[in-house]
Amino acid sequence: MNKFTQIFKNMVVLQILQDCFRQARHQLVSNKLRSFLTLLGISIGIFCIIAVMSAVDSLEKNIIQSFEKLGNDVLYIDKFSWEEEPGSSYWKYVNRPKPSKEDFEAIKKKSKLMEAASLMIFIPGRTIKYKNNYVEGSYMAGITDDYNKVVKFDLEEGRYISFSEFQIGTNVAILGNKLAKAIFPKGDGLGKEINIYGQHYNVVGILKEEGESMINVMPYDEAIFIAWNNAKKVVNVGDDSNWGTLLSVKAKQHVDVDELKYELASIIRPVRSLKPRDEDNFSINKISILTNIVSNIFGILNLAGLFIGSFAMLVGAVGVANIMFVSVKERTPLIGIKMAIGAKRFYILLEYLIEAVILCVFGGIIGVALVWLILLFVSKALNFEIEMSVFNIVIGLFLSVLVGLISGIFPALKASRMDPVEAIRK
């Protein structure tokens, strides 16, 4: 008996759902202008929310990927802290000593938690020449031998600078991809000699192209990499030089970067003759600092998009509620007949509530489809990939259902609370 009762209830629910779909379709077809204006509010609201979330997520992903090129397991020793706004504490940091060769040598000698370490010096604004071709504004980077072990350094052609070339300071260079194409339009740069600072450098390698990115943390495509000991021959690399330096240390596998951070601090402080109570005159930064800042900023932007879209959805919700009240009024005698032949109030409430949800979901689907089409067009026009994730689609449809429940609950309650006799008379 219980089995047959359950089957009967399931058949009743299916019948209610079928009636709801049919009535929702009737509402849309019979009152086209009213339905269009109502669903427009829902569609615009979902469009605003999903479009903003998709754009923000894509921008965040692109920026974080740019940061992650530097390595999640790499620590960067610098004058400045990435956790603070440089302008707010400029004088605190500007007088600090730069990461030096002494710091680098001490870390290589004493650190037990690092896999590799490298020191880099930045020399911006160089002019590179090859015969009649020249490029202005590229930067030169003097690096130590383990730089390719610390950060991602992919070569398209040629080789890395050899250990002996690092030691001797040979005039060899690795070019960024875009720089190489500008100097050697025919793509035959490997093995050629370029002129920098009046000296000839043999091109031994060309890097892979980085590709488009919102933020080029390290603009490898326009860079020239030379050995540190070679950089000493063309510029002053000492503590009194005008060029910035960055000391990078990669943690061993399964070593926590925070443990490495404490070890590095304990190594650098004695090198700089800091007493136990003296404040550090260096900063040890990690990529997670930057990625957390980015995530927080874009989290706020997502909330802003949700807030803006909610106003459009509020207008749509009022429209759906209006449609449902009109629908209840038009079908009042039918509601009375259903109650008179045994329909429970709960089923009447469920019927109109589901109808409101269906209307809102239909508007939501239109909004999601519009977002997909526009993002597809924008991605191709700007040559920047903007993705609409499954999570964002689910959020949009969930909000549509939620608006349907909110806007349909009062008309549904009104329908379910009618007196059957009074309803049939109307």
Side-chain angles (χ1 to χ4, degrees):
M1 187 68 179
N2 291 334
K3 183 178 179 180
F4 288 109
T5 303
Q6 186 63 41
I7 292 173
F8 177 75
K9 288 181 178 179
N10 292 337
M11 291 177 63
V12 171
V13 171
L14 289 173
Q15 183 62 45
I16 290 173
L17 288 173
Q18 185 179 352
D19 290 344
C20 291
F21 277 105
R22 186 173 61 253
Q23 289 166 7
R25 183 182 61 185
H26 175 74
Q27 288 295 329
L28 293 172
V29 173
S30 61
N31 301 284
K32 292 183 177 63
L33 180 61
R34 185 177 68 185
S35 299
F36 171 76
L37 295 175
T38 299
L39 296 183
L40 185 64
I42 301 294
S43 298
I44 290 174
I46 294 297
F47 174 84
C48 291
I49 293 169
I50 302 304
V52 170
M53 289 178 68
S54 297
V56 167
D57 288 349
S58 297
L59 290 172
E60 180 183 2
K61 180 182 177 181
N62 185 279
I63 293 173
I64 288 177
Q65 283 178 344
S66 299
F67 288 144
E68 287 178 346
K69 290 178 183 178
L70 300 179
N72 291 318
D73 57 350
V74 178
L75 293 177
Y76 294 88
I77 300 162
D78 194 9
K79 292 170 62 172
F80 297 93
S81 171
W82 295 352
E83 293 182 281
E84 295 185 34
E85 171 63 37
S88 62
S89 305
Y90 178 78
W91 295 109
K92 171 185 174 182
Y93 295 115
V94 74
N95 293 321
R96 288 180 169 185
K98 297 180 297 184
S100 65
K101 193 69 182 296
E102 289 74 21
D103 298 330
F104 169 68
E105 294 293 351
I107 289 170
K108 285 197 71 173
K109 182 179 179 180
K110 298 179 181 179
S111 176
K112 292 180 173 58
L113 301 179
M114 74 155 194
E115 180 178 320
S118 180
L119 184 63
M120 172 188 280
I121 184 166
F122 302 91
I123 311 167
R126 298 302 95 204
T127 299
I128 301 94
K129 297 180 181 179
Y130 174 73
K131 294 183 178 180
N132 295 327
N133 296 333
Y134 69 93
V135 173
E136 295 180 344
S138 294
Y139 82 88
M140 182 184 288
I143 56 176
T144 55
D145 55 322
D146 281 344
Y147 184 74
N148 64 332
K149 297 178 183 178
V150 176
V151 298
K152 190 176 180 182
F153 201 79
D154 295 328
L155 290 166
E156 185 175 272
E157 296 181 68
R159 61 177 176 82
Y160 190 61
I161 302 171
S162 69
F163 180 76
S164 61
E165 289 168 338
F166 272 111
Q167 296 302 309
I168 299 169
T170 310
N171 283 21
V172 294
I174 295 174
L175 303 185
N177 197 280
K178 290 183 179 178
L179 178 61
K181 289 177 180 177
I183 293 289
F184 305 103
K186 295 180 181 179
D188 56 349
L190 204 63
K192 301 292 177 62
E193 286 191 345
I194 57 175
N195 187 290
I196 314 170
Y197 276 108
Q199 297 193 37
H200 295 284
Y201 283 81
N202 183 38
V203 178
V204 297
I206 296 173
L207 294 173
K208 286 183 179 179
E209 187 173 359
E210 283 190 290
E212 295 297 326
S213 179
M214 292 296 297
I215 295 180
N216 283 326
V217 182
M218 295 288 287
Y220 286 172
D221 284 341
E222 296 85 21
I224 311 154
F225 293 90
I226 62 173
W228 177 278
N229 287 336
N230 181 262
K232 292 197 302 184
K233 298 178 182 180
V234 292
V235 297
N236 177 16
V237 299
D239 295 339
D240 58 340
S241 72
N242 296 322
W243 315 117
T245 58
L246 183 65
L247 178 51
S248 312
V249 184
K250 182 181 179 69
K252 285 183 178 178
Q253 193 173 9
H254 306 308
V255 170
D256 188 272
V257 288
D258 288 326
E259 291 181 30
L260 177 60
K261 181 177 179 179
Y262 294 131
E263 185 198 50
L264 294 179
S266 68
I267 294 172
I268 297 172
R269 285 181 63 86
V271 173
R272 299 192 175 189
S273 302
L274 295 176
K275 296 177 181 179
R277 292 187 179 181
D278 290 344
E279 185 181 355
D280 289 342
N281 60 357
F282 56 90
S283 295
I284 302 178
N285 303 301
K286 53 185 179 179
I287 298 305
S288 60
I289 294 172
L290 300 178
T291 55
N292 288 338
I293 292 172
V294 170
S295 296
N296 290 335
I297 292 171
F298 283 106
I300 294 171
L301 292 177
N302 270 327
L303 288 175
L306 185 63
F307 181 74
I308 293 169
S310 64
F311 284 102
M313 294 194 71
L314 179 63
V315 173
V318 172
V320 172
N322 179 58
I323 279 185
M324 295 310 300
F325 275 119
V326 171
S327 178
V328 168
K329 185 175 182 180
E330 290 175 349
R331 303 205 297 260
T332 296
L334 180 60
I335 294 170
I337 293 171
K338 286 182 177 180
M339 287 183 171
I341 60 176
K344 294 184 178 180
R345 296 184 184 275
F346 172 74
Y347 289 126
I348 300 295
L349 183 144
L350 188 63
E351 179 181 329
Y352 285 88
L353 197 58
I354 292 174
E355 185 177 336
V357 169
I358 291 170
L359 289 171
C360 290
V361 168
F362 187 75
I365 291 172
I366 294 174
V368 169
L370 285 174
V371 173
W372 181 79
L373 289 172
I374 291 175
L375 291 185
L376 187 65
F377 173 78
V378 171
S379 295
K380 290 184 177 179
L382 300 180
N383 195 25
F384 177 78
E385 187 177 3
I386 305 178
E387 299 177 346
M388 184 170 63
S389 67
V390 175
F391 176 77
N392 288 346
I393 296 173
V394 171
I395 288 291
L397 296 179
F398 171 77
L399 290 174
S400 300
V401 172
L402 184 62
V403 170
L405 292 173
I406 293 172
S407 58
I409 187 65
F410 292 108
L413 284 171
K414 180 180 179 181
S416 65
R417 291 174 179 175
M418 286 183 179
D419 180 81
V421 177
E422 293 295 326
I424 292 172
R425 288 177 179 175
K426 293 183 179 180

